[in-house]
C-alpha cells in the first residue's frame, strides 16, 4: 500500500548530495539519478529531485503492513529536516 507523496522545497544540490550519502550509509541504497525507485528492508520508495526548482518528492510505494504511513512519512520529513541543517 502506497503512502501519500511528500514534496520538500529548498533542497539545494548540496543537500541532495548529503541525502544521497545518508541513504547509502543507512540503507545501503546507492542513488545516482535525480529520479528513480529502490527497495530495502521491506520498503520501496520512489523519488524525483528537480534541481532547478530545488524540490524533492518522495513516495513510499510499499511497506510492511504493520508500519503506518504516518510513521514512515514522519521519519522521512525528519531526515530531510536534518539533511537541510547539515547542508
Amino acid at each position: 500500500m502506497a503512502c501519500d507523496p511528500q514534496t520538500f522545497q529548498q533542497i539545494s544540490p548540496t543537500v541532495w548530495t548529503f541525502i544521497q550519502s545518508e541513504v547509502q550509509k543507512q540503507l545501503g541504497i546507492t542513488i545516482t539519478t535525480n529520479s528513480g525507485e529502490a527497495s530495502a528492508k521491506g520498503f520501496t520508495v520512489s523519488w524525483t529531485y528537480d534541481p532547478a526548482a530545488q524540490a524533492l518528492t518522495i513516495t513510499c510505494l510499499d511497506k510492511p503492513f504493520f508500519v503506518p504511513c504516518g510513521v514512515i512519512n514522519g521519519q522521512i520529513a525528519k531526515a530531510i529536516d536534518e539533511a537541510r541543517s547539515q547542508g
Side-chain angles (χ1 to χ4, degrees):
M1 177 178 166
C3 299
D4 290 335
Q6 296 185 93
T7 299
F8 302 92
Q9 305 298 325
Q10 300 174 335
I11 305 297
S12 68
T14 302
V15 172
W16 176 233
T17 299
F18 181 80
I19 290 168
Q20 291 171 302
S21 172
E22 287 301 301
V23 168
Q24 171 65 40
K25 281 194 288 190
Q26 294 182 20
L27 300 176
I29 296 172
T30 301
I31 297 175
T32 58
T33 61
N34 286 342
S35 64
E37 183 178 306
S39 297
K41 301 178 181 178
F43 297 88
T44 301
V45 296
S46 69
W47 66 90
T48 302
Y49 174 62
D50 181 345
Q54 293 194 352
L56 173 63
T57 300
I58 301 174
T59 307
C60 180
L61 301 174
D62 194 24
K63 62 180 186 63
F65 74 92
F66 56 86
V67 182
C69 284
V71 169
I72 294 166
N73 284 350
Q75 289 295 325
I76 291 170
K78 180 181 174 186
I80 296 298
D81 286 342
E82 289 174 6
R84 281 190 191 125
S85 70
Q86 297 295 319

